[in-house]
Amino acid sequence: MNKPIAILLLIVILLSCNKKPSDSSNHTESPSGNPTQISMSPDRILENRKQFDSLILLVTQQTVAGNFDSTLLRKMYTCLSVAQLMKNDSLLSTTYFHLARYFDAIADYPTCLEYSYKAIDIYQKHKNFSMLTISYNNMCWSYIQAHDFDNGIKACHYGLKFSTHLVDDNRRKMLRGLLFNNLAIACLESGKPDSALYYNSLSYSEVPDALRKLPYLYVWIYAVFGHIYETKKDTGQALKCFNQALQLKDSSSTADGTIYAVSKYCHFLNSLGEFHKVIRIGKEGIIIAKNSNLKRYVIDIADELQYAYDKLNQVDSAYYFAKMAKGLKDQVFNQGKTAQLQNLFIRRTIKAKELEYAIEKAKAEEKLTSEQRLRNIFVIAFVFVVLFAGLFLYQRNKIKAGKIRSDELLLNILPGEVAEELKSKGSTSAKQFDNVTVMFTDFKNFTQIAEKLSPQELVSEIDTCFKAFDQIIEKYNIE
């Protein structure tokens, strides 16, 4: 069964189930327990939505109470029918989550994991990191219960990855504490006590101060510490941790942590030869496990009781508990279920690889598009620079040509010295000359001649005269 804290956190998802129906068809449970379709009016759809909310609340209460009977499964299939009808991801993921917990409780781990993966697919789609973290924590525990410790470790690491996205500090620490505790158990069962000690220490340190007084979590932590120290042959420290766990068991509100502590404590006591104490504590644990419908936990305690009775030479009792353990193991660990787990893992691995390939392909296409975009920007920028440089050179040459023309005009009108001074200063200073010649000329009868000539002829005549003056002045150097 999944860790108890996940049950309390489950209430969060009930608040998110608010989508309206969008379909006129309905599903109802068939005699085999699988959904079938029937038609349904809009009023009936709304009525069924109310039914879903009330049923899921009953499911939650029944789950917390540890009552995993057939009526609970019927309620969940009815919820699934409504969720499928309404095509509401929130309702579907909620129902898948509960179904996973139900099949975990009855030790049907392949079916449990199938529903867990369905819920996880929806949580990933909507980036619900809180429920992703919880689901991977529960999935890790299911793998551990099925003795698939490697996949349990992988599930824990996935949960830890998603937990980093949680904003609420207390929730993040609490869930990471659960994940580290499960990771410690998986490592310990894999023969890695040092890694188990490291992760269980992290579990203890991650628990928020606000939750320090909650006993159910510490039953798990201290029980795991006890089992770790037993493995490391530190009997004194192991006994201390087991005693701390058992001191909390009576105040713990959940049975699974208590039964786990009892099973590991019985194993520890058997190693010390305290067989009568094993029998007393072990029988109490089996009663709690049966009353809480925790079939999987009965196996471990029955194994310890069989060992204790065998050492006390009480053959009938030893045989009774050996038969009990074997019957439950045949149900939980039969070859068919083992094959189902392996096939499920292979299918999920292939799906994960396909998703990873699709993501990498999308990234490669995006990179190619980005590179093409950068190349286009570079080409446009280069063309712009070339055009700007061409325009700049054109304007510069045009200005230079204008300047040359202006200089020629100044030199044609003014002496070179005066022209240079005018260009450099913008004005000229008066200069004194001792000897100068000033020539005044007039065109005789200019007015009468101008009246007889056209404007073009007049300008041409004046130009001829001034050119002649310039030639005479240049010839005799009298300017």
Side-chain angles (χ1 to χ4, degrees):
M1 179 181 177
N2 298 321
K3 290 293 183 68
I5 187 63
I7 304 173
L8 301 178
L9 292 174
L10 182 60
I11 304 300
V12 176
I13 64 178
L14 300 181
L15 302 177
S16 63
C17 305
N18 294 317
K19 292 188 178 179
K20 293 183 179 181
S22 58
D23 199 306
S24 59
S25 63
N26 183 34
H27 300 75
T28 188
E29 183 191 358
S30 67
S32 62
N34 297 317
T36 57
Q37 292 189 351
I38 61 171
S39 60
M40 180 179 293
S41 67
D43 289 341
R44 184 69 184 279
I45 292 172
L46 293 175
E47 180 182 338
N48 270 18
R49 174 53 202 269
K50 293 179 181 178
Q51 181 188 18
F52 178 91
D53 291 339
S54 61
L55 277 173
I56 207 68
L57 181 59
L58 292 173
V59 166
T60 304
Q61 293 171 345
Q62 197 167 337
T63 301
V64 172
N67 185 7
F68 295 94
D69 58 17
S70 59
T71 63
L72 177 61
L73 184 60
R74 284 198 295 272
K75 291 182 180 111
M76 286 189 286
Y77 273 127
T78 303
C79 289
L80 183 59
S81 298
V82 177
Q84 290 173 332
L85 162 71
M86 300 175 74
K87 298 180 180 179
N88 186 319
D89 281 353
S90 180
L91 305 188
L92 279 169
S93 58
T94 299
T95 309
Y96 289 146
F97 183 90
H98 278 292
L99 283 166
R101 299 201 70 256
Y102 172 85
F103 286 105
D104 176 87
I106 64 172
D108 186 348
Y109 300 117
T111 307
C112 162
L113 292 167
E114 284 278 9
Y115 282 117
S116 292
Y117 279 123
K118 287 183 179 181
I120 282 172
D121 286 340
I122 297 175
Y123 296 142
Q124 285 182 322
K125 175 182 175 183
H126 296 284
K127 296 183 179 180
N128 188 338
F129 297 117
S130 179
M131 290 308 301
L132 276 170
T133 305
I134 294 171
S135 294
Y136 273 113
N137 176 69
N138 295 346
M139 182 181 290
C140 168
W141 187 242
S142 297
Y143 274 123
I144 291 172
Q145 293 292 83
H147 288 183
D148 189 349
F149 305 118
D150 288 340
N151 282 323
I153 290 171
K154 291 176 183 178
C156 271
H157 284 298
Y158 276 119
L160 289 169
K161 180 182 75 172
F162 287 116
S163 72
T164 59
H165 297 281
L166 300 181
V167 177
D168 185 278
D169 189 58
N170 278 347
R171 171 166 292 184
R172 183 180 64 256
K173 288 183 176 180
M174 178 174 60
L175 290 177
R176 287 175 68 84
L178 288 167
L179 285 160
F180 281 130
N181 183 244
N182 275 340
L183 195 51
I185 295 172
C187 288
L188 185 59
E189 298 297 338
S190 301
K192 305 170 186 175
D194 291 333
S195 296
L197 181 60
Y198 170 74
Y199 287 121
N200 207 50
S201 298
L202 287 179
S203 174
Y204 182 86
S205 63
E206 281 282 351
V207 178
D209 292 337
L211 299 176
R212 292 285 180 190
K213 295 181 180 179
L214 296 181
Y216 53 78
L217 189 52
Y218 284 94
V219 171
W220 284 98
I221 293 174
Y222 286 128
V224 173
F225 271 134
H227 191 25
I228 292 169
Y229 286 121
E230 176 194 355
T231 304
K232 294 172 75 69
K233 309 300 182 182
D234 189 342
T235 303
Q237 195 66 21
L239 183 60
K240 178 182 177 182
C241 292
F242 279 126
N243 285 334
Q244 286 177 302
L246 294 175
Q247 285 173 7
L248 293 169
K249 73 179 180 66
D250 293 331
S251 59
S252 175
S253 59
T254 55
D256 50 358
T258 296
I259 301 166
Y260 177 83
V262 167
S263 67
K264 298 306 176 185
Y265 187 47
C266 285
H267 184 275
F268 174 66
L269 292 174
N270 270 331
S271 70
L272 299 179
E274 298 187 28
F275 306 121
H276 292 287
K277 197 171 184 179
V278 170
I279 292 170
R280 177 175 59 82
I281 295 174
K283 284 184 175 180
E284 291 176 0
I286 282 187
I287 291 172
I288 297 172
K290 286 184 174 180
N291 289 339
S292 303
N293 201 17
L294 301 175
K295 182 191 301 183
R296 168 64 185 85
Y297 291 88
V298 175
I299 296 174
D300 296 332
I301 301 177
D303 277 337
E304 299 304 328
L305 285 169
Q306 180 266 326
Y307 182 86
Y309 276 117
D310 185 60
K311 289 295 182 181
L312 294 172
N313 294 318
Q314 297 184 28
V315 179
D316 290 342
S317 296
Y319 174 75
Y320 172 79
F321 285 107
K323 184 179 179 181
M324 178 188 294
K326 184 179 183 306
L328 292 172
K329 286 176 183 177
D330 288 342
Q331 294 179 34
V332 175
F333 302 119
N334 63 63
Q335 291 183 350
K337 288 188 176 181
T338 302
Q340 280 183 274
L341 279 174
Q342 290 299 324
N343 290 334
L344 175 63
F345 175 71
I346 291 170
R347 291 199 307 273
R348 293 301 301 191
T349 301
I350 293 172
K351 184 175 180 180
K353 291 294 183 183
E354 290 174 346
L355 179 61
E356 184 179 343
Y357 172 76
I359 292 172
E360 291 299 324
K361 184 179 178 182
K363 286 181 178 178
E365 291 175 351
E366 177 63 23
K367 183 179 179 181
L368 186 62
T369 303
S370 299
E371 290 175 352
Q372 183 64 45
R373 191 181 299 119
L374 285 173
R375 283 196 296 269
N376 292 341
I377 292 172
F378 175 77
V379 170
I380 293 171
F382 178 75
V383 171
F384 177 78
V385 169
V386 170
L387 289 174
F388 179 79
L391 180 62
F392 173 77
L393 291 173
Y394 171 76
Q395 290 292 338
R396 189 179 69 174
N397 292 335
K398 187 176 179 181
I399 292 170
K400 184 177 180 180
K403 183 176 182 298
I404 293 171
R405 178 61 179 162
S406 175
D407 290 345
E408 290 175 347
L409 289 172
L410 283 174
L411 291 171
N412 192 44
I413 299 171
L414 301 171
E417 184 182 349
V418 175
E420 288 299 326
E421 185 179 3
L422 184 62
K423 286 192 296 180
S424 62
K425 296 182 179 181
S427 62
T428 58
S429 303
K431 291 181 177 59
Q432 180 177 340
F433 296 93
D434 294 333
N435 297 304
V436 297
T437 299
V438 178
M439 182 179 69
F440 293 94
T441 63
D442 186 21
F443 292 97
K444 185 178 180 180
N445 298 323
F446 179 78
T447 301
Q448 291 82 355
I449 295 171
E451 289 177 351
K452 295 177 182 180
L453 297 174
S454 66
Q456 290 84 0
E457 292 173 332
L458 179 61
V459 171
S460 177
E461 186 67 27
I462 293 172
D463 182 54
T464 301
C465 293
F466 274 102
K467 283 182 178 179
F469 289 152
D470 287 339
Q471 290 172 359
I472 295 168
I473 290 169
E474 184 178 355
K475 178 179 178 181
Y476 295 102
N477 194 27
I478 60 175
E479 185 177 14

